[in-house]
């Protein structure tokens, strides 16, 4: 019996020597010191050992068991040490290697222009007013003084969402300009106090849609920034002063502006503002087509009918409005020659800004 115990010990010890990974070690544990290992069997079958030998066998079995357990613990520690040394040498961090550059996102060029416009007008006391992109014919045209067959309506061919409504004359469409927001804003402001409506000083930015042949110069979607100021004794010289100041803050302190007569149904009188070409300083280049001037926006005094439709009595109130295209301003600034780049999502284009 004692010999058999010695054999069990030797067998355990020698197979342990050959082990060099954790899986094999846990298997070894099961078969050499586990519940159904040879050594544990000795304890289980102790009653079969003749009484007079039990003391000696028991002691010897205990020694074998302890020896095997101690060897196991030692082996476990040894394997851990090997694994640690291995990972220390294999996974060594070379701090002299060059780092990988983070790729940083950036703002869309039109968003950058929009934010500059917001900043300039915020400094002049204008608040941002957000209006809807899906409009009715009534707001997009009728309340802005476009008569049903006005030629300007053809100019703005629209995307219709729904061509018929209960009334039959008020289809739903995607706004073709930000001007319907003028009516919505004035109605909201005047609704607060119909007898003495508060002054308005807002800009209305947002996406507009026109059903147009896409080309280098026109897209079916584009942003606009509308402006509206309504109050007592607002004059055309307030319009000129505000917009010239805007141009200087936006394009440079020395930039000159000029106003040319124009026509919009919702303003009277109407004008277009040009700024001196900021690329050639007015000398004439390909961007300003040799004229020295760049057309930047449409503007005018709010038409009395529009004031009335907004809940402002044209006898007591006057106002001015303007509308500009951030894509166009961005194109002029960066000499971008094709408006289609803006919404084509080509990173090679967007990464340049
Ligand atoms: N809504 C006009 C357009 O889309 C621009 C404009 C706005 C003109 C306000 C005058 C006043 O062309």
């Amino acid at each position: 019996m004692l010999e058999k115990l010695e054999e069990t010990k030797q067998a355990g010890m020698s197979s342990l020597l050959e082990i060099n990974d954790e899986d094999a070690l846990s298997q070894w544990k099961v078969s050499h010191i586990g519940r159904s290992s040879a050594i544990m069997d000795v304890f289980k079958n102790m009653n079969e050992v003749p009484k007079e030998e039990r003391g000696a066998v028991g002691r010897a079995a205990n020694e074998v068991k302890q020896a095997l357990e101690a060897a196991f613990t030692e082996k476990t520690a040894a394997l851990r040490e090997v694994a640690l040394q291995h990972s220390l040498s294999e996974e060594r961090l070379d701090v002299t290697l060059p780092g990988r550059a983070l790729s940083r996102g950036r703002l869309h060029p039109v968003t950058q222009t929009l934010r500059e416009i917001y900043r300039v007008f915020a400094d002049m006391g204008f608040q941002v007013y957000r209006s809807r992109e899906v409009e009715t014919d009534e707001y997009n045209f009728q309340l802005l003084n476009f008569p049903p067959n006005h030629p300007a309506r053809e100019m703005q061919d629209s995307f219709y969402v729904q061509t018929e409504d209960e009334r039959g004359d008020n289809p739903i469409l995607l706004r073709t300009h930000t001007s319907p927001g003028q009516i919505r804003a004035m109605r909201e402001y005047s609704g607060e106090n119909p007898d003495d409506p508060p002054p308005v000083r807002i800009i209305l930015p947002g996406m507009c849609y026109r059903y147009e042949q896409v080309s280098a110069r026109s897209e079916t979607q584009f942003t606009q920034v509308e402006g509206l100021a309504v109050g007592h004794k607002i004059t055309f010289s307030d319009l000129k002063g505000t917009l010239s100041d805007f141009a200087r803050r936006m394009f440079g302190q020395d930039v000159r502006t000029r106003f040319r007569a124009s026509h919009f149904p919702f303003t009277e009188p109407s004008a277009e503002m040009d700024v001196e070409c900021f690329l050639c300083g007015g000398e004439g280049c390909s961007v300003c087509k040799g004229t020295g001037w760049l057309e930047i926006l449409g503007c005018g005094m709010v038409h009395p009918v529009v004031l009335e439709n907004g809940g402002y009595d044209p006898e007591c109130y006057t106002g001015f409005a303007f509308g500009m295209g951030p894509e166009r301003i961005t194109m002029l600034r960066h000499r971008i020659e094709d408006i289609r780049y803006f919404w084509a999502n080509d990173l090679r284009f967007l990464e340049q800004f």
Side-chain angles (χ1 to χ4, degrees):
M1 191 67 206
L2 291 178
E3 261 167 50
K4 223 185 111 201
L5 275 171
E6 187 55 26
E7 271 166 33
T8 306
K9 183 174 158 191
Q10 290 310 326
M13 290 301 194
S14 62
S15 64
L16 190 60
L17 279 181
E18 272 150 41
I19 280 169
N20 42 31
D21 68 83
E22 291 207 13
D23 280 350
L25 184 62
S26 38
Q27 258 170 31
W28 183 92
K29 186 184 181 190
V30 172
S31 46
H32 293 274
I33 49 178
R35 247 182 293 142
S36 34
S37 57
I39 184 67
M40 294 314 269
D41 282 347
V42 174
F43 289 109
K44 266 184 243 158
N45 303 325
M46 199 58 97
N47 51 353
E48 288 164 21
V49 177
K51 252 201 180 122
E52 55 284 9
E53 288 176 27
R54 265 184 215 164
V57 170
R59 239 173 289 126
N62 261 327
E63 266 168 42
V64 170
K65 184 172 168 249
Q66 277 162 16
L68 289 172
E69 279 171 356
F72 171 77
T73 309
E74 210 177 294
K75 187 75 183 183
T76 306
L79 281 186
R80 285 222 180 105
E81 180 62 20
V82 169
L84 178 65
Q85 290 307 332
H86 180 74
S87 77
L88 282 178
S89 62
E90 282 296 297
E91 297 162 24
R92 203 171 37 191
L93 181 65
D94 182 354
V95 292
T96 65
L97 278 176
R100 262 180 235 122
L102 281 183
S103 71
R104 239 200 296 157
R106 55 192 91 202
L107 293 175
H108 191 282
V110 170
T111 305
Q112 294 181 28
T113 302
L114 278 170
R115 290 196 179 180
E116 266 185 72
I117 296 171
Y118 300 162
R119 174 181 58 78
V120 170
F121 281 109
D123 285 349
M124 297 197 276
F126 284 75
Q127 287 189 315
V128 171
Y129 188 96
R130 302 256 171 205
S131 186
R132 56 180 70 187
E133 286 180 26
V134 180
E135 268 299 359
T136 59
D137 184 273
E138 185 179 27
Y139 277 89
N140 197 75
F141 296 121
Q142 297 165 35
L143 294 168
L144 288 169
N145 201 33
F146 286 82
N149 294 310
H150 193 282
R153 273 170 90 147
E154 279 165 43
M155 205 169 72
Q156 307 195 333
D157 282 351
S158 320
F159 281 112
Y160 286 91
V161 173
Q162 212 181 75
T163 44
E164 281 301 319
D165 74 329
E166 322 76 80
R167 264 167 48 186
D169 63 347
N170 192 23
I172 297 171
L173 43 83
L174 301 183
R175 67 177 172 195
T176 59
H177 52 173
T178 41
S179 304
Q182 288 190 29
I183 304 283
R184 295 207 177 266
M186 280 192 281
R187 286 191 169 178
E188 187 184 324
Y189 278 57
S190 64
E192 285 167 18
N193 189 358
D195 298 327
D196 184 19
V200 179
R201 217 193 290 172
I202 53 174
I203 53 171
L204 307 102
M207 198 58 87
C208 304
Y209 306 85
R210 287 184 199 175
Y211 186 44
E212 266 174 325
Q213 180 67 49
V214 176
S215 73
R217 295 181 57 89
S218 64
E219 253 286 18
T220 50
Q221 70 173 82
F222 52 92
T223 57
Q224 278 196 341
V225 177
E226 187 92 4
L228 176 68
V230 177
H232 296 291
K233 299 201 176 84
I234 290 182
T235 66
F236 197 85
S237 83
D238 292 316
L239 177 157
K240 284 185 75 174
T242 305
L243 292 178
S244 306
D245 198 27
F246 161 74
R248 282 191 294 270
R249 292 177 191 229
M250 186 85 188
F251 304 113
Q253 276 307 310
D254 305 324
V255 94
R256 292 193 300 155
T257 47
R258 75 176 181 190
F259 290 79
R260 285 176 291 103
S262 185
H263 174 78
F264 301 101
F266 36 90
T267 48
E268 180 59 36
S270 303
E272 268 161 324
M273 184 176 85
D274 296 342
V275 301
E276 200 173 37
C277 181
F278 37 72
L279 294 166
C280 64
E283 280 175 18
C285 66
S286 62
V287 175
C288 62
K289 310 222 161 53
T291 63
W293 295 95
L294 300 168
E295 186 194 317
I296 289 295
L297 53 81
C299 57
M301 299 305 290
V302 182
H303 196 287
V305 167
V306 174
L307 285 172
E308 181 100 56
N309 289 339
Y312 283 79
D313 180 357
E315 296 293 321
C316 317
Y317 290 88
T318 53
F320 65 79
F322 55 87
M324 63 182 86
E327 279 87 344
R328 187 174 150 69
I329 293 175
T330 311
M331 287 171 82
L332 293 171
R333 288 185 133 178
H334 300 292
R335 296 174 184 256
I336 297 165
E337 271 161 15
D338 194 322
I339 197 169
R340 289 171 291 196
Y341 284 128
F342 288 115
W343 309 113
N345 281 339
D346 186 334
L347 285 180
R348 290 170 301 178
F349 169 74
L350 296 172
E351 273 171 359
Q352 296 177 45
F353 302 94

